[in-house]
Amino acid sequence: MTDATHDPARRSWVPGADRHTDFPIQNLPFGIFSPNGSDRRGGVAIGDWIFDLREACAAGLFNGVADDAALAAAGPTLNAFVALGTAHRRALRHALSFLLDSKGEGRACTEKLAEKLLHKAESCTLHLPCAIGDYTDFYAGIHHATNVGTLLRPDSPLMPNYKYLPVGYHGRASSVRVSGPAVRRPNGQRKRPEEAEPSFGPSRSLDYELELGFWIGPGNALGQPIPIARATDHLVGLCLLNDWSARDVQGWEYQPLGPFLAKSFHTTISPWIVTAEALEPFRTSAMARAAGDPAPLPHLADPADQDEGGFDIALDVLIQSAAMRAANRAPHRLATSNARHLYWTASQMIAHHASAGCNLTAGDLLGSGTISGPTHEECGSLLELTRGGREPVTLPGGETRRFLEDGDEITLTARCTRDGAVPIGFGPCRGLISAAPP
Ligand code: MN
């Protein structure tokens, strides 16, 4: 369901916005920022600028439902805003598109206030968009699950539950950070197969995972499931998510209760919430189930979700080592993938999560699971790309990697393109590995 805010002919008066690869006027993602060391408030990315929602509210630029939404988004977190739901978000999107449109009456009241309303993004600090109450990581990338399962159980890579429910585990919310700060290599217990006893020390198999994050808006009451057909009402938008993973720590600790310290030391997300509305032109069908796969059980089956519950989002993983940076070598692409390779849709993950009565809360974050494609060039982690560390990858300049070294910077990017739509992106999700604590 696209509307005037998606119109490819619409241009913005904000300098450079129309040429911006990620944030043209058709995107309008929400985030929390502080301009020049000032305090936190909500903003909207437009080109290389951030539109200040607090200043816009103070200037009286909105009215009605859009004003209610903008006021909720003007504070130091977006929790109150995302809790309002689709109608408020859509109204604010329309108002913003009107104010930033190069043609029409919005421009007249907005452009003369540009000095107050617009901040150069490079002079701002970006923060987590929401105070994240809970973070859940799924495992919905079927090629990733198959690749990893093959390393462990060549004969039956997928567990019997995989095609019946979206497998997930409860992640750690407190250590989610936005793109930018150093990611410290964790210390942990690790044990090689030939070693009799584990030892404690820096992870020797630090890895990234290419994932999408799904932001939850309105929640559900405890004990009250979310029907699959209503699940989209609870999805605010998407971000990129890097689920850093210490494979050696994970291999030793995960049985029988699943990942713990191997994942909880740090998770990096891109700072902007790219809304469900902005992504409407890039919706696609859910992944087709192979002949012989079970149909989803009724509480996870919805015809509309099967038709348009997926996303067509191209994803890349880039690496730049310390040596590459010193030699001025550009980041090297390790893999390219697409959100179409998720076996379960966001709505199915939401409906499943709430199906036993667990209450989701505004500002909760769901990870999709690593998104790998069917070919080796589409592996969303080093574990898969190097086949468990056995086949190192070679970087420009001749270095090799089994897993990440200190000084390596990993960048995830996302890009949506479709005929008849203006392409949009997510902004980068970056993390640079620093040495483990002594
Ligand atoms: Mn993961």
Side-chain angles (χ1 to χ4, degrees), residues 231-246:
T232 52
D233 299 347
H234 299 264
L235 176 68
V236 179
L238 275 58
C239 64
L240 284 159
L241 187 151
N242 186 339
D243 177 26
W244 304 101
S245 300

Side-chain angles (χ1 to χ4, degrees), residues 137 209 211 243 263:
D137 195 26
E209 289 192 341
E211 303 196 20
D243 177 26
K263 304 271 195 175

Side-chain angles (χ1 to χ4, degrees), residues 43-383:
V44 177
I46 176 78
D48 290 323
W49 304 80
I50 301 176
F51 183 84
D52 190 322
L53 288 169
R54 185 202 286 179
E55 291 290 343
C57 287
L61 292 180
F62 305 107
N63 48 49
V65 175
D67 193 42
D68 295 342
L71 283 167
T77 74
L78 294 178
N79 293 68
F81 167 62
V82 300
L84 289 173
T86 310
H88 281 82
R89 214 168 50 237
R90 205 177 279 278
L92 182 53
R93 174 179 168 84
H94 276 269
L96 288 163
S97 185
F98 170 77
L99 293 171
L100 296 168
D101 186 351
S102 64
K103 293 193 188 117
E105 295 154 42
R107 179 176 187 162
C109 39
T110 320
E111 193 175 15
K112 61 174 188 277
L113 300 171
E115 208 157 317
K116 262 184 155 19
L117 295 173
L118 291 176
H119 306 272
K120 265 282 183 195
E122 64 193 17
S123 69
C124 298
T125 307
L126 286 155
H127 307 282
L128 288 176
C130 294
I132 304 169
D134 275 298
Y135 158 51
T136 301
D137 195 26
F138 283 93
Y139 197 53
I142 191 169
H143 300 294
H144 170 75
T146 304
N147 292 340
V148 172
T150 301
L151 291 171
L152 302 171
R153 301 171 299 276
D155 297 334
S156 58
L158 292 180
M159 291 290 188
N161 59 6
Y162 192 85
K163 292 176 176 175
Y164 287 93
L165 56 80
V167 170
Y169 69 95
H170 193 221
R172 182 77 195 169
S174 67
S175 51
V176 179
R177 292 291 182 279
V178 289
S179 179
V183 175
R184 205 153 197 201
R185 179 182 301 273
N187 287 311
Q189 282 199 20
R190 65 273 202 272
K191 190 178 94 61
R192 296 192 171 110
E194 67 276 15
E195 291 170 339
E197 302 280 334
S199 58
F200 183 82
S203 169
R204 302 168 181 130
S205 315
L206 185 56
D207 201 355
Y208 55 82
E209 289 192 341
L210 169 63
E211 303 196 20
L212 285 171
F214 303 113
W215 287 103
I216 299 297
N220 57 305
L222 184 69
Q224 187 67 55
I226 296 172
I228 178 80
R230 305 306 304 173
T232 52
D233 299 347
H234 299 264
L235 176 68
V236 179
L238 275 58
C239 64
L240 284 159
L241 187 151
N242 186 339
D243 177 26
W244 304 101
S245 300
R247 301 298 181 195
D248 44 358
V249 177
Q250 187 179 356
W252 171 238
E253 75 173 5
Y254 87 106
Q255 287 169 321
L257 290 184
F260 187 37
L261 304 185
K263 304 271 195 175
S264 62
F265 60 95
H266 200 132
T267 301
T268 303
I269 59 170
S270 56
W272 295 103
I273 301 179
V274 178
T275 62
E277 291 70 52
L279 290 166
E280 269 166 12
F282 312 103
R283 283 283 192 173
T284 186
S285 56
M287 183 191 275
R289 293 191 164 223
D293 282 6
L297 292 178
H299 70 296
L300 298 177
D302 174 55
D305 185 49
Q306 288 301 301
D307 279 354
E308 55 192 31
F311 292 102
D312 183 1
I313 305 173
L315 304 164
D316 279 334
V317 184
L318 306 162
I319 188 170
Q320 190 185 45
S321 68
M324 289 168 69
R325 256 191 318 285
N328 267 324
R329 282 184 204 277
H332 167 71
R333 190 162 80 182
L334 284 170
T336 182
S337 187
N338 192 295
R340 282 181 290 123
H341 301 308
L342 290 170
Y343 191 78
W344 295 98
T345 66
S347 285
Q348 288 174 317
M349 291 184 229
I350 290 168
H352 176 64
H353 205 313
S355 63
C358 170
N359 55 313
L360 302 180
T361 308
D364 282 358
L365 180 64
L366 311 185
S368 62
T370 308
I371 307 174
S372 297
T375 72
H376 196 64
E377 292 69 40
E378 297 167 286
C379 287
S381 69
L382 278 174
L383 180 70

